[in-house]
């Protein structure tokens, strides 16, 4: 019994020692934090450097010329002579409309020609007056022009060499206002991009442009600036630029999605590490903390291109500034660090 009591006392002593040691250990793991301590940050000095102004624009390919084939007046479609994808020549008859009215007009024209020939013979021998001759001659000229116009709207020709890209009716349909066919010239093709006004003086007619398409991954095509619009959109502050692509092999087709890359020379801009860029919560604004005389300031920036692990800045940070690249979590505008 005595031995059991001694064992119990020893066990309690051991547990007390272990508990005290554990408490001492836990107490040692809690660091002391000075609430008045300044946040620690890591800085990087930034500088201006020449940055190649490589700009990529998305666009859709269109034919250089696009013609809607349709008559000027309603009528029945007798025959459409081509299909989508067919290559056509300038002057080729693509659509034949109902010719009933054309036949009637042709008969009237022949009758007027016969009448004029009769009056002309009489006029030459003094059988009719000059005014009578003039009147019949005028009627004949009007009839000829009317017949020619009607003929052009009955047998519809292609005004260009191109390819049929749309067909909206079948044989026998009544034409109702929408183009019967669409013909586009696809050699060359063109794309139109909207370029920021800051580059207006940089874009020149004849500049080469690299074109990439999802339809041909890994392949590039070369285009040239063919037209620069003379005005800038007041809402978007951009101006349209047309790019012409020769497309001699006709691989590029209207409607394809394209990316056009322009090299607009170089500009001296501040470049900062990407670690310095912060995004403002609740908006798309980007900012950088700039260090000066022991404090940091909140500087909103306009980003340019991403250059590997750095960003080009269009504005927001002065040349030679020191920016925070680590420790931003506890910072605010004007905070001492």
């Amino acid at each position: 019994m005595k031995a059991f009591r001694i064992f119990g006392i020893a066990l309690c002593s051991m547990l007390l020692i272990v508990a005290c040691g554990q408490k001492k250990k836990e107490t040692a793991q809690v660091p002391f934090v000075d609430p008045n301590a300044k946040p620690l940050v890591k800085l990087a000095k930034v500088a201006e450097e020449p940055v190649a102004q490589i700009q990529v624009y998305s666009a859709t390919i269109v034919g250089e010329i696009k013609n809607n084939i349709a008559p000027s007046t309603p009528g029945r479609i007798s025959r459409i002579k081509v299909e989508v994808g067919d290559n056509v020549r300038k002057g080729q008859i693509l659509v034949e409309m109902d010719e009933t009215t054309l036949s009637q007009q042709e008969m009237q024209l022949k009758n007027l020609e016969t009448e004029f020939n009769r009056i002309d013979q009489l006029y030459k021998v003094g059988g009719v007056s000059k005014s009578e001759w003039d009147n019949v001659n005028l009627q004949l000229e009007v009839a000829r022009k009317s017949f020619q116009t009607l003929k052009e709207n009955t047998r519809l020709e292609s005004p260009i060499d191109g390819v049929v890209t749309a067909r909206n009716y079948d044989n026998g349909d009544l034409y109702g206002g929408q183009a019967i066919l669409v013909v586009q010239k696809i050699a060359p093709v063109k794309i139109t991009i909207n370029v920021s006004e800051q580059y207006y003086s940089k874009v020149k007619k004849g500049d080469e442009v690299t074109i990439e398409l999802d339809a041909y991954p890994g392949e590039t095509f070369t285009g040239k600036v063919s037209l620069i619009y003379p005005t800038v959109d007041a809402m978007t502050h951009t101006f349209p630029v047309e790019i012409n692509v020769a497309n001699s092999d006709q691989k590029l087709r209207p409607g394809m999605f394209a990316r056009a890359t322009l090299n607009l020379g170089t500009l001296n801009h501040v470049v900062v590490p990407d670690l310095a860029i912060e995004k403002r919560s609740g908006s798309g604004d980007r900012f950088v903390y700039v260090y000066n005389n022991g404090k940091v300031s909140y500087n909103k920036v306009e980003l340019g291109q991403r250059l590997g692990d750095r960003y080009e800045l269009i504005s927001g940070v002065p040349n030679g500034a020191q920016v925070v690249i680590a420790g931003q979590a506890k910072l605010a505008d004007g905070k001492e660090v």
Side-chain angles (χ1 to χ4, degrees):
M1 186 70 176
K2 184 178 182 180
F4 180 76
R5 185 177 298 168
I6 294 171
F7 174 75
I9 293 170
L11 181 61
C12 288
S13 299
M14 290 178 62
L15 291 173
L16 182 61
I17 292 170
V18 171
C20 290
Q22 183 67 26
K23 185 175 182 181
K24 194 175 295 184
K25 184 178 179 182
E26 290 175 357
T27 303
Q29 286 180 341
V30 179
F32 173 74
V33 178
D34 183 356
N36 297 318
K38 297 176 181 179
L40 294 176
V41 296
K42 185 177 181 180
L43 304 175
K45 188 174 182 179
V46 298
E48 284 187 351
E49 59 182 77
V51 180
Q53 298 302 296
I54 306 299
Q55 299 293 321
V56 180
Y57 302 89
S58 299
T60 301
I61 292 176
V62 298
E64 185 189 43
I65 300 173
K66 178 180 177 180
N67 286 127
N68 295 317
I69 308 301
S72 60
T73 56
R76 183 74 62 183
I77 301 170
S78 294
R79 182 185 176 196
I80 300 175
K81 305 180 72 173
V82 292
E83 294 292 341
V84 172
D86 286 353
N87 289 303
V88 297
R89 303 180 310 278
K90 181 178 180 180
Q92 179 179 341
I93 296 176
L94 307 181
V95 181
E96 293 176 348
M97 305 294 291
D98 181 78
E99 295 190 359
T100 302
T101 304
L102 180 66
S103 298
Q104 293 173 350
Q105 189 75 21
E106 187 175 18
M107 291 178 61
Q108 292 177 10
L109 177 61
K110 288 181 178 179
N111 290 336
L112 273 173
E113 287 175 340
T114 301
E115 177 65 12
F116 175 76
N117 289 334
R118 186 182 69 82
I119 294 295
D120 188 53
Q121 292 297 324
L122 290 174
Y123 175 68
K124 290 177 179 177
V125 297
V128 295
S129 66
K130 179 70 165 52
S131 61
E132 290 178 289
W133 185 92
D134 288 339
N135 183 49
V136 176
N137 183 56
L138 178 61
Q139 292 180 46
L140 179 60
E141 290 300 315
V142 170
R144 282 173 175 168
K145 289 180 180 179
S146 297
F147 175 76
Q148 185 61 34
T149 300
L150 186 58
K151 183 178 179 181
E152 291 172 356
N153 282 276
T154 303
R155 298 165 188 169
L156 308 182
E157 300 179 355
S158 174
I160 59 171
D161 293 334
V163 62
V164 179
T165 58
R167 171 175 170 166
N168 300 312
Y169 294 87
D170 290 321
N171 295 337
D173 285 347
L174 183 65
Y175 167 67
Q178 186 179 15
I180 299 174
L181 299 171
V182 177
V183 176
Q184 295 192 52
K185 184 177 182 180
I186 62 171
V189 292
K190 66 180 180 181
I191 61 177
T192 301
I193 60 176
N194 293 308
V195 181
S196 174
E197 67 175 307
Q198 65 179 306
Y199 299 118
Y200 194 86
S201 62
K202 301 289 184 181
V203 183
K204 306 296 181 185
K205 192 173 181 179
D207 285 352
E208 287 197 352
V209 183
T210 301
I211 309 296
E212 295 178 310
L213 298 97
D214 290 344
Y216 303 105
E219 191 172 354
T220 60
F221 303 84
T222 300
K224 289 187 176 182
V225 174
S226 57
L227 178 63
I228 302 169
Y229 281 58
T231 58
V232 176
D233 189 294
M235 296 294 292
T236 63
H237 295 286
T238 61
F239 62 98
V241 173
E242 285 187 8
I243 299 166
N244 186 290
V245 187
N247 198 31
S248 55
D249 54 5
Q250 297 190 8
K251 293 180 71 173
L252 279 63
R253 295 293 174 135
M256 284 184 173
F257 176 78
R259 285 176 295 276
T261 302
L262 275 69
N263 187 337
L264 300 168
T266 61
L267 290 175
N268 287 330
H269 281 158
V270 170
V271 177
V272 303
D274 57 3
L275 295 174
I277 306 297
E278 295 286 312
K279 182 180 180 181
R280 185 174 184 178
S281 179
S283 75
D285 292 345
R286 298 297 195 276
F287 67 92
V288 170
Y289 283 112
V290 177
Y291 176 81
N292 187 30
N293 294 328
K295 295 182 179 181
V296 293
S297 61
Y298 172 99
N299 286 30
K300 183 180 175 181
V301 297
E302 181 183 355
L303 299 183
Q305 303 171 72
R306 186 180 182 96
L307 309 169
D309 60 353
R310 304 184 302 162
Y311 269 104
E312 171 196 18
L313 296 186
I314 306 302
S315 64
V317 175
N319 183 32
Q322 288 184 299
V323 300
V324 178
I325 60 172
Q328 294 100 320
K330 297 181 179 180
L331 299 184
D333 190 35
K335 183 81 171 179
E336 291 187 350
V337 296

